[in-house]
Amino acid sequence: MTDFIPGQPEDRRLPAQVARASASYVGDFELAAARVIARLTGELVILQDDNSKRRMADIQIAYAGRTPGYAEVTLDLDESYAAMASEVRKRAFQVKAPSLGRVWWVTLSSGAAVKTQEKTLARNLGLLAAAGDLFEIVATDQNLGEHSNPLIRQLFETGVVHLASRATIGDEVGFIHILPEGTGGPVGIDWEAFDAYIAEFLANPRRKDVLEKLAATDAAERHAFVGLSFNTPWNVFHALDRDYRELPTNDPRLPPEITHLWLWSYPLGRCLAWFPDRGWFNPQYHWATE
């Protein structure tokens, strides 16, 4: 037991758990979530799941003077996408390809093998250029899977979802930018789509463990803390952009195991919370502690 510092969670996880979380694609999201809860409540917040008990919730909110609440942390994250994006970040922002005489941008899907693409792209892009397929105009929608060039269809099958290029400038050397597939869409907020996403995400069988662990606490307060990522649908991810101040217009449709909800577009977007006694709010404007 460490000395209680308001706003700072107490971490009782095993060192191996902490190391594994810190080394993950997104970092230690459980710790980040616990920090948010601690700052909002000012209460002792404990990262308690050390694998010593079955169905132990990730976080305990040890309220002073009343029974504790519990929180379970989950991420809307496709592991294959995260692995690919991580590999791109580590290895292949640029691949030197002086023989191309052009600068290319190649966007890869979650299923793409980055190492293989890194070895073969220069040759394949050279063949595209020789065939006159330069993708000089960057289009937002490219149906590469139905292109007339069979090599482009083959590239699509191996995970290439977008292509663009330009001629080199001056003494610039040809190279290839490799990018992970991201998310995008129209500007504006669609709260109906937002509401539907929450209901579908929490009801998905993949969240069965979240619901079971919260139900097992038999507590009055059972929080689900959801992290959104670049593979979250655009109309949901975009609603948590920091440029917005609007709040959702409807109460979320929650399964009975969940009484409180948090959504965080992690790590750069805003965090929103829904409590049954106060509705939707942005914790950033209601911190109890630093």
Side-chain angles (χ1 to χ4, degrees), residues 13 17 30 46-61 69-73 209-219 221-223:
R13 297 173 299 172
Q17 289 177 287
E30 285 187 9
I46 304 167
L47 282 155
Q48 65 168 13
D49 188 5
D50 59 359
N51 293 330
S52 62
K53 296 180 181 178
R54 187 168 175 267
R55 292 184 180 174
M56 180 182 288
D58 294 326
I59 294 170
Q60 179 188 148
I61 310 170
Y70 294 89
E72 187 65 14
V73 179
D209 185 58
V210 172
L211 302 183
E212 289 180 345
K213 290 171 75 173
L214 288 175
T217 68
D218 199 29
E221 278 193 19
R222 302 180 300 276
H223 300 241

Side-chain angles (χ1 to χ4, degrees), residues 26 29 36 74-76 183 194 197 225-234 236-242 262-273:
V26 296
F29 182 65
V36 170
T74 184
L75 274 165
D76 181 7
T183 185
F194 184 89
Y197 165 83
F225 200 113
V226 180
L228 309 183
S229 72
F230 284 112
N231 62 255
T232 299
W234 167 256
V236 179
F237 185 82
H238 183 64
L240 270 66
D241 190 287
R242 288 188 179 275
W262 307 69
L263 295 173
W264 185 3
S265 180
Y266 181 78
L268 301 177
R270 58 182 182 153
C271 177
L272 298 182

Side-chain angles (χ1 to χ4, degrees), residues 147-169:
H147 198 280
S148 60
N149 187 330
L151 177 56
I152 293 174
R153 297 198 300 272
Q154 181 183 339
L155 286 172
F156 177 77
E157 292 173 359
T158 62
V160 175
V161 295
H162 195 276
L163 290 166
S165 82
R166 63 166 173 81
T168 53
I169 300 172

Side-chain angles (χ1 to χ4, degrees), residues 11 55 78 81 163:
D11 197 342
R55 292 184 180 174
D78 179 80
Y81 173 88
L163 290 166

Side-chain angles (χ1 to χ4, degrees), residues 12-47:
R12 298 183 185 175
R13 297 173 299 172
L14 300 174
Q17 289 177 287
V18 175
R20 188 163 53 249
S22 299
S24 73
Y25 306 123
V26 296
D28 195 340
F29 182 65
E30 285 187 9
L31 178 61
R35 168 80 165 131
V36 170
I37 295 173
R39 289 192 68 187
L40 177 72
T41 63
E43 304 283 353
L44 173 60
V45 172
I46 304 167
L47 282 155

Side-chain angles (χ1 to χ4, degrees), residues 78-137:
D78 179 80
E79 288 296 323
S80 60
Y81 173 88
M84 181 275 295
S86 178
E87 189 68 20
V88 167
R89 286 194 296 270
K90 287 188 298 182
R91 296 177 51 81
F93 288 109
Q94 294 181 8
V95 175
K96 291 182 179 180
S99 63
L100 290 178
R102 301 187 67 81
V103 177
W104 282 84
W105 288 263
V106 178
T107 303
L108 301 181
S109 71
S110 62
V114 176
K115 293 180 182 179
T116 300
Q117 294 288 355
E118 186 179 5
K119 294 176 181 177
T120 60
L121 270 175
R123 176 181 178 276
N124 288 331
L125 294 177
L127 293 174
L128 293 188
D133 290 316
L134 299 175
F135 293 87
E136 286 269 3
I137 299 174

